[in-house]
């Protein structure tokens, strides 16, 4: 079935060269376009410096406003058959309007990652949370995010770890969830010339707190250990929205080179011999590490970094949480050709076995078709969702209308 008109409501405008979230959004848009759907992307956010021009791929772009009835008019005119919310915050803002003005539209939430999980892990790093079951169950963010999940007809979960948390800790009905990782088109294997690769690399959007934390860990702990063993080595740090504090870490004498935004992330990752990603908190899937596999660039990362990516398969490099082990693994991977080549092969296997776009697209289409065929019954059996929609919609609705009225004064 799939919708003839699909509306995306984005938290931000997609920037695929800046973040994994931007790439994820384009993958979902591409899926719906492949079904013959007419896609419209809307967002209340200002467009960033590296925004992707969706018009070039036949997607209509529409700016929308928070707490403004103009969105209702736009919605009624568009008559979407499917609405995709990009992150729970957009469902909170616009979900009640969609339910009221496009009641028959299938409502899909793409979490990107579980925000409450990432937040609790950040608190745990600071000694302010245990990030255990009790902490998650008492999290205010979890209550908001779970409410959005229940109010939607289907929620896309990018990591199996997060699927397990939702089902086991929060007892969410599996019928409301779909495991949908990155949708990667597996390309033919290209011949790898090791001599064309050199140096280490880190890449990540600096608006995202885990990336800034990882770069600090590299600068203060990991890189000095690596540099001691490999005096001529260099680490190239790339990332969108690097601020002065990031550039201040640049030190050519230490081989710690901060470049800022990479116009072509694939190109710079492909040139590097090893990616370093000592991520100490986070959630979802780390796009930089999957992209490194696509670029035949092995990596050294942490348990958090690798989470949800490799499943039961060997990592394309090494996974260590201890900085000393992390550094020595990086040196070993960089200097021992046999380990490096095996790591590349491991990456190919992970991509082929876990991220094949044809497999996951079929799963997504099957899930959407199944719900669309019995949408009324699906919503009836989701009593918690109906209850939350009825209660929280009223609160959100009248708060929004109050803000709108206030803004008109």
């Amino acid at each position: 079935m799939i919708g003839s008109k699909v509306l995306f409501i984005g938290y931000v405008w997609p920037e695929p060269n800046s973040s994994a979230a931007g790439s994820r959004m384009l993958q979902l848009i591409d899926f719906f376009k492949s079904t013959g759907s007419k896609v419209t992307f809307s967002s209340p956010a200002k467009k960033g410096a590296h925004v992707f021009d969706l018009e070039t791929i036949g997607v209509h772009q529409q700016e929308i406003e928070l707490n403004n009835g103009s969105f209702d008019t736009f919605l009624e005119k568009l008559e979407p058959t499917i609405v995709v919310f990009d992150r729970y915050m957009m469902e909170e803002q616009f979900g009640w309007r969609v339910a009221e003005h496009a009641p028959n539209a299938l409502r899909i939430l793409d979490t990107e990652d579980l925000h409450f999980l990432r937040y609790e892990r950040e608190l745990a790093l600071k000694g302010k949370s245990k990030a255990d079951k009790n902490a998650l169950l008492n999290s205010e963010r979890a209550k908001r995010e779970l409410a959005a999940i229940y109010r939607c007809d289907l929620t896309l979960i990018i990591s199996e770890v997060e699927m397990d948390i939702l089902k086991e800790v929060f007892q969410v009905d599996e019928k409301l969830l779909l495991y949908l990782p990155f949708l990667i088109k597996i390309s033919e294997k290209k011949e790898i010339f090791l001599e064309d690769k050199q140096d280490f690399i880190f890449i990540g959007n600096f608006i995202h707190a885990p990336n800034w934390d990882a770069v600090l860990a590299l600068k203060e702990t990991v890189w000095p250990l690596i540099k001691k063993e490999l005096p001529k080595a260099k680490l190239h740090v790339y990332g969108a929205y690097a601020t002065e504090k990031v550039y201040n870490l640049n030190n050519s004498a230490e081989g710690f080179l901060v470049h800022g935004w990479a116009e072509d992330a694939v190109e710079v990752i492909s040139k590097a011999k090893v990616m370093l990603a000592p991520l100490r908190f986070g959630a979802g899937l780390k796009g930089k590490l999957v992209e490194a596999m696509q670029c035949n660039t092995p990596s050294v990362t942490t348990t958090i970094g690798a989470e949800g990516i490799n499943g039961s398969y060997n990592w394309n490099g090494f996974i260590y949480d201890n900085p000393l082990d992390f550094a020595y693994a990086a040196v070993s991977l960089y200097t021992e050709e046999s380990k490096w080549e095996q790591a590349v092969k491991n990456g190919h296997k992970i991509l082929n076995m876990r991220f094949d776009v044809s497999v996951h697209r079929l799963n997504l289409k099957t899930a959407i078709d199944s719900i669309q065929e019995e949408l009324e019954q699906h919503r009836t059996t989701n009593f918690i969702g109906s209850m939350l929609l009825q209660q929280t919609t009223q609160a959100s609705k009248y708060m929004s209308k109050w803000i709108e009225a206030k803004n008109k004064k």
Side-chain angles (χ1 to χ4, degrees), residues 15-19 50 201-206 236-242 247 258-270 291:
E15 294 188 15
N17 273 347
S18 299
S19 69
H50 313 301
I201 189 172
F202 173 89
I203 190 166
N205 186 333
F206 286 106
H236 300 274
V237 176
Y238 291 91
Y241 302 104
Y247 284 110
V258 179
H259 302 283
W261 185 64
E263 186 171 348
D264 188 337
V266 170
E267 181 182 0
V268 296
I269 295 173
S270 296
E291 198 163 35

Side-chain angles (χ1 to χ4, degrees), residues 201-265:
I201 189 172
F202 173 89
I203 190 166
N205 186 333
F206 286 106
I207 293 177
H208 195 55
N211 288 327
W212 167 240
D213 180 77
V215 169
L216 282 180
L218 282 169
K219 176 72 173 183
E220 297 170 0
T221 309
V222 177
W223 184 245
L225 294 170
I226 295 175
K227 191 67 173 175
K228 184 178 179 181
E229 299 296 319
L230 301 172
K232 295 182 180 180
K234 297 177 182 178
L235 170 61
H236 300 274
V237 176
Y238 291 91
Y241 302 104
T243 57
E244 185 178 358
K245 69 179 182 181
V246 181
Y247 284 110
N248 284 342
L249 299 180
N250 183 79
N251 190 316
S252 56
E254 297 175 356
F256 198 98
L257 308 174
V258 179
H259 302 283
W261 185 64
E263 186 171 348
D264 188 337

Side-chain angles (χ1 to χ4, degrees), residues 1-8 29 32-40 58 77-83 104-106 368-369 372:
M1 294 175 70
I2 306 293
S4 59
K5 294 181 182 178
V6 178
L7 171 65
F8 281 79
I29 289 171
F32 284 108
K33 283 182 58 62
S34 74
T35 67
S37 301
K38 182 179 179 181
V39 178
T40 298
K77 184 177 180 181
L78 182 64
E79 296 183 318
T81 43
I82 294 178
V83 176
N104 296 321
L106 184 73
I368 292 175
D369 286 345
Q372 283 182 319

Side-chain angles (χ1 to χ4, degrees), residues 165-178:
I165 289 173
L166 291 173
K167 290 189 292 184
E168 295 170 12
V169 176
F170 294 95
Q171 304 295 307
V172 179
D173 190 333
E174 194 169 5
K175 290 185 294 185
L176 299 176
L177 309 173
L178 178 68

Side-chain angles (χ1 to χ4, degrees), residues 256-324:
F256 198 98
L257 308 174
V258 179
H259 302 283
W261 185 64
E263 186 171 348
D264 188 337
V266 170
E267 181 182 0
V268 296
I269 295 173
S270 296
K271 289 180 178 179
K273 196 171 181 180
V274 175
M275 174 175 283
L276 303 176
L279 295 154
R280 300 193 292 180
F281 67 96
L285 299 182
K286 315 309 177 293
K288 61 175 68 62
L289 294 167
V290 176
E291 198 163 35
M293 295 177 191
Q294 294 176 278
C295 296
N296 299 314
T297 301
S299 62
V300 184
T301 190
T302 58
T303 304
I304 289 289
E307 182 179 83
I309 295 177
N310 60 317
S312 61
Y313 298 99
N314 291 329
W315 187 251
N316 75 319
F318 295 102
I319 302 170
Y320 284 110
D321 295 323
N322 179 282
L324 190 62

